[in-house]
Amino acid sequence: MTSPAQAGGAATPGTPGAAASSTPPTTPGPAVAPAKDSAGVRGLIFLRDRGIFVLWVLLIAVFAVWANPYFATLNNAILIANAAAISAIFAAGVAVGIICGALDLSIPGVAALSSCVAGWMITNGLPVWLALVVGIVLGALVGLVNGLISLRGFNPIIVTIAMLSITSAAAAIVAGGYTFPGLTQLDFMGTQRYLGIPAPVWITAGVFLVGTVFLTKTRDGIRLMAVGGSAEAVRRSGIHSDRYKVFAFVISSTCAGLGGLVTTATVTEANPSASPGLIFTALTAVALAGVSLVGGRGSLPRVLVGALVLATISNGLTIVGVQPYWATGVTGALLIGSLTLERWVTTSVSRRLMATAQASVHTGTR
Amino acid sequence: MNATTTTTTPALELTGIDMHYGYVRALDSIDFHVGQGEVVGLLGDNGAGKSTLLKIMSGAHRPSAGTVRVHGDEVELHSPSAATHAGIQMVYQDLALVDALDIATNLNIGREILRPGIFGLLGFVDHKAQRKRSEAELDKLGVRTAAMTRPVEMLSGGQRQVVALARSATRVSGEQNGILLLDEPTAALGYEQTQVVQALVRRMADQGIAIVLVTHNLALANAVCDRMVVLNRGRKVADVVTAETDNDHLVGWITGARASMFE
Ligand SMILES: Nc1ncnc2c1ncn2[C@@H]1O[C@H](COP(=O)(O)OP(=O)(O)OP(=O)(O)O)[C@@H](O)[C@H]1O
Ligand SMILES: [Mg+2]
């Protein structure tokens, strides 16, 4: 059954560039000469994948000049990082959900619930570590419920909106209409600095490091992304795609719980009122990072930079004395700009590739 | 090659298959077989029952009556995963590739290679080994697409079709040679890309894979099929070796103008 072309393939070296030729596939010879993309295509892809980094560097450069000498200092950099930290944790949760094809809107409610339950436990003299563990596990459990209900064929947006109401109500019930103030026991993960860097920044760095490694290097992470891209493809490979959907909800909600705890630690108070604004900030960072709302694509480092871009804009504009509502407007404009860029890059890349690339198969002996 | 395949046990054999959709009789006691390394074309007009027969082979539908044998053993294909387990892979018209992921990841999903040692236990994927394996597999099929790290969304239609075919081919060409079911694999492709897919189908057959090809494209069927089976309104009206027939006969059977071979 072995054809001559195949047998000879191992001996002769590949001809680079042959893969891009559009001649009819009759030439015998070795296969798989990894095609090289043209410089233009690579540039465009770089722009699409790394555009947010470029944007951030540009913003820093602009403010370094405009807000000189107050902007470009180490202290201000730490301020920006700290300001971005908490919204970045929420953004990570939103991003993982969206990447797997499930937008979790219950995040603010889960954050409030975790925060209030932990606050209640600490106020009532229970150990701090236990309060933190319960807060996180509670987040994970809400995610599990979200996921299992959504699997029954209910629209995840409605399910998580319902869960937003339920969890905020639960938070208010736990708090009995008040807040839990003076939670200084949580300073170690709130205002405390390690090596000069505030605790929330460390926590955020940890979340993104683990999340990125998970999504890009591990089997479950890759499958999770694949489910978001095409659940059918995953199913046809004999994998239960549902499991990964539920998993994404759990991750999303766990991030929400963690974000709530870190918020509580920084303000030393557990507040039962869920702020829906939180989800919009997170979504803005996620969208700026080019995470498609359709699912299946996105990268956590870009989401982190998205959150940093938002923090940089509001910090820089505050320093130069511009009213904060300008920052909101600028963010909106950036968002539309980034969408336009993404669309333009995608279409021009595929147009170029169509023109040059052809698959080819050797006809062998027949 | 045909001489050997006809004498050995067929890779897939269906006998007396009936299929009713309510009162609609979509298939009427169909006998069908395909041997290892053989490409059998399944032809017929719209509504003739081609897709229905293919769905029975892929485990998506259960026949109302009849038996299915894989490599001689009777099997119950009660679900697509049962069919997969029996070594049958279906390539659907919608390719179901994960657009944002690269070619290697698409080819390896569901059968990932983990890294050795502690990282493997933690579920870390060995991307390099996966790329190498996929390159070797595509090489064996004689396929050139693009760089393994190219996201699937950046491939042309033909390349995507090739990746989807290769994904199925690599899953059936394990220890025992499998069966590949293709439903209109070139319906959306231009001339040149059809040539590519055509060559790939032949290559896969040459490696021992049994292939059932549903198509409306007579030129394609003539070019790649060893044998053709024609369905007309749920009945098998012809089963001929490609070399011993011509387009006029085939068109006659497809439209019903020509009498069935079996009456
Ligand atoms: N799910 C279904 N319910 C009821 N009738 C069906 C169903 N699927 C197919 N049929 C009927 O069964 C017959 C065979 O259909 P089938 O899809 O197998 O045809 P086909 O040969 O694949 O046609 P085409 O070339 O149009 O794809 C048709 O009469 C069709 O209307
Ligand atoms: Mg059909």
Side-chain angles (χ1 to χ4, degrees):
Chain A
M1 293 264 175
T2 333
S3 75
Q6 182 194 330
T12 12
T15 30
S21 91
S22 56
T23 46
T26 43
T27 28
V32 192
K36 283 273 170 286
D37 296 327
S38 74
V41 168
R42 261 178 293 149
L44 285 170
I45 293 174
F46 176 85
L47 195 63
R48 190 185 77 166
D49 291 349
R50 302 274 171 264
I52 182 96
F53 295 89
V54 176
L55 173 68
W56 191 38
V57 170
L58 284 179
L59 278 173
I60 290 174
V62 167
F63 282 123
V65 176
W66 192 8
N68 197 34
Y70 306 106
F71 182 82
T73 65
L74 186 60
N75 253 332
N76 195 44
I78 291 175
L79 271 182
I80 291 177
N82 204 25
I86 291 176
S87 59
I89 295 178
F90 290 123
V94 171
V96 170
I98 289 180
I99 285 173
C100 192
L103 174 55
D104 184 351
L105 293 176
S106 69
I107 283 180
V110 177
L113 179 62
S114 287
S115 151
C116 285
V117 169
W120 180 86
M121 288 176 73
I122 294 172
T123 309
N124 284 281
L126 287 157
V128 171
W129 67 265
L130 186 65
L132 294 179
V133 169
V134 169
I136 300 273
V137 170
L138 207 56
L141 282 178
V142 175
L144 188 66
V145 174
N146 276 337
L148 291 178
I149 297 179
S150 300
L151 275 196
R152 300 277 171 279
F154 296 96
N155 185 328
I157 293 189
I158 311 294
V159 171
T160 53
I161 286 179
M163 200 51 94
L164 170 63
S165 307
I166 294 172
T167 44
S168 8
I173 292 167
V174 170
Y178 298 95
T179 62
F180 298 101
L183 300 173
T184 47
Q185 295 93 325
L186 292 178
D187 273 351
F188 77 95
M189 53 181 276
T191 45
Q192 186 78 39
R193 290 184 175 218
Y194 304 90
L195 303 177
I197 294 171
V201 177
W202 286 109
I203 295 173
T204 306
V207 166
F208 276 83
L209 187 69
V210 171
T212 306
V213 168
F214 170 72
L215 280 183
T216 57
K217 304 265 185 257
T218 71
R219 181 170 56 187
D220 289 333
I222 292 167
R223 286 181 179 178
L224 196 145
M225 291 197 68
V227 168
S230 165
E232 194 54 34
V234 175
R235 223 171 288 134
R236 284 182 202 162
S237 308
I239 301 168
H240 295 286
S241 61
D242 289 352
R243 218 174 277 171
Y244 292 90
K245 275 249 150 79
V246 175
F247 195 25
F249 274 110
V250 170
I251 294 177
S252 196
S253 223
T254 308
C255 286
L258 179 65
L261 294 176
V262 177
T263 311
T264 308
T266 14
V267 300
T268 66
E269 182 183 71
N271 194 325
S273 63
S275 73
L278 188 155
I279 198 104
F280 288 104
T281 314
L283 266 177
T284 309
V286 167
L288 264 183
V291 178
S292 150
L293 292 192
V294 186
R297 70 187 72 234
S299 100
L300 284 185
R302 295 209 305 257
V303 171
L304 180 58
V305 177
L308 283 166
V309 163
L310 296 184
T312 306
I313 292 174
S314 89
N315 172 286
L317 289 182
T318 310
I319 292 180
V320 293
V322 172
Q323 293 295 329
Y325 43 76
W326 277 97
T328 321
V330 168
T331 315
L334 272 182
L335 201 49
I336 291 177
S338 79
L339 284 182
T340 317
L341 177 80
E342 151 119 51
R343 166 76 59 84
W344 175 74
V345 169
T346 307
T347 50
S348 47
V349 164
S350 54
R351 204 173 319 116
R352 276 165 194 243
L353 288 175
M354 285 303 183
T356 58
Q358 284 287 332
S360 81
V361 178
H362 303 294
T363 37
T365 46
R366 194 178 154 102
Chain B
M1 188 165 62
N2 288 323
T4 57
T5 47
T6 43
T7 51
T8 53
T9 342
L12 177 67
E13 184 176 23
L14 289 83
T15 25
I17 297 289
D18 281 345
M19 183 72 194
H20 305 273
Y21 288 115
Y23 293 112
V24 181
R25 182 163 230 199
L27 295 175
D28 187 357
S29 62
I30 302 285
D31 297 330
F32 181 91
H33 67 95
V34 54
Q36 271 190 15
E38 191 184 24
V39 182
V40 177
L42 197 49
L43 307 179
D45 218 342
N46 295 112
K50 307 178 297 290
S51 297
T52 305
L53 189 57
L54 213 60
K55 280 175 187 155
I56 288 171
M57 298 183 203
S58 72
H61 285 342
R62 299 189 71 171
S64 313
T67 54
V68 180
R69 285 198 175 75
V70 176
H71 296 294
D73 302 324
E74 193 170 329
V75 289
E76 285 277 334
L77 301 179
H78 43 76
S79 70
S81 60
T84 306
H85 194 74
I88 302 172
Q89 281 274 340
M90 168 116 181
V91 180
Y92 294 82
Q93 254 179 28
D94 69 294
L95 302 176
L97 295 168
V98 187
D99 279 344
L101 296 181
D102 63 11
I103 298 177
T105 310
N106 266 285
L107 289 176
N108 283 294
I109 206 152
R111 50 180 205 128
E112 296 89 345
I113 304 177
L114 294 185
R115 284 178 44 175
I118 177 88
F119 282 111
L121 293 178
L122 289 172
F124 279 70
V125 163
D126 193 338
H127 284 292
K128 219 167 141 192
Q130 290 197 156
R131 274 200 289 276
K132 263 181 120 166
R133 176 171 73 182
S134 296
E135 263 166 20
E137 284 165 349
L138 291 193
D139 199 13
K140 200 173 152 221
L141 290 172
V143 175
R144 289 177 188 148
T145 49
M148 276 292 158
T149 48
R150 170 85 67 81
V152 166
E153 65 195 337
M154 294 190 178
L155 299 178
S156 66
Q159 286 177 316
R160 292 166 59 86
Q161 185 64 260
V162 164
V163 171
L165 285 172
R167 178 183 56 183
S168 301
T170 54
R171 277 153 214 254
V172 296
S173 56
E175 60 286 3
Q176 193 171 33
N177 270 316
I179 299 137
L180 211 53
L181 312 175
L182 313 179
D183 197 354
E184 291 281 6
T186 60
L189 302 182
Y191 174 77
E192 217 162 75
Q193 304 192 326
T194 302
Q195 299 292 308
V196 169
V197 170
Q198 190 174 309
L200 176 55
V201 170
R202 257 343 296 180
R203 262 308 260 251
M204 295 190 297
D206 290 345
Q207 306 205 345
I209 298 174
I211 298 172
V212 181
L213 171 72
V214 167
T215 182
H216 283 284
N217 181 342
L218 276 185
L220 172 76
N222 273 313
V224 300
C225 297
D226 296 306
R227 197 154 53 78
M228 298 192 212
V229 170
V230 183
L231 298 183
N232 187 303
R233 288 197 236 141
R235 287 162 167 266
K236 182 161 111 169
V237 292
D239 189 338
V240 284
V241 173
T242 306
E244 295 164 8
T245 185
D246 59 49
N247 274 352
D248 287 349
H249 284 66
L250 288 172
V251 171
W253 279 313
I254 290 170
T255 55
R258 195 178 172 81
S260 165
M261 279 174 73
F262 306 103
E263 273 160 15

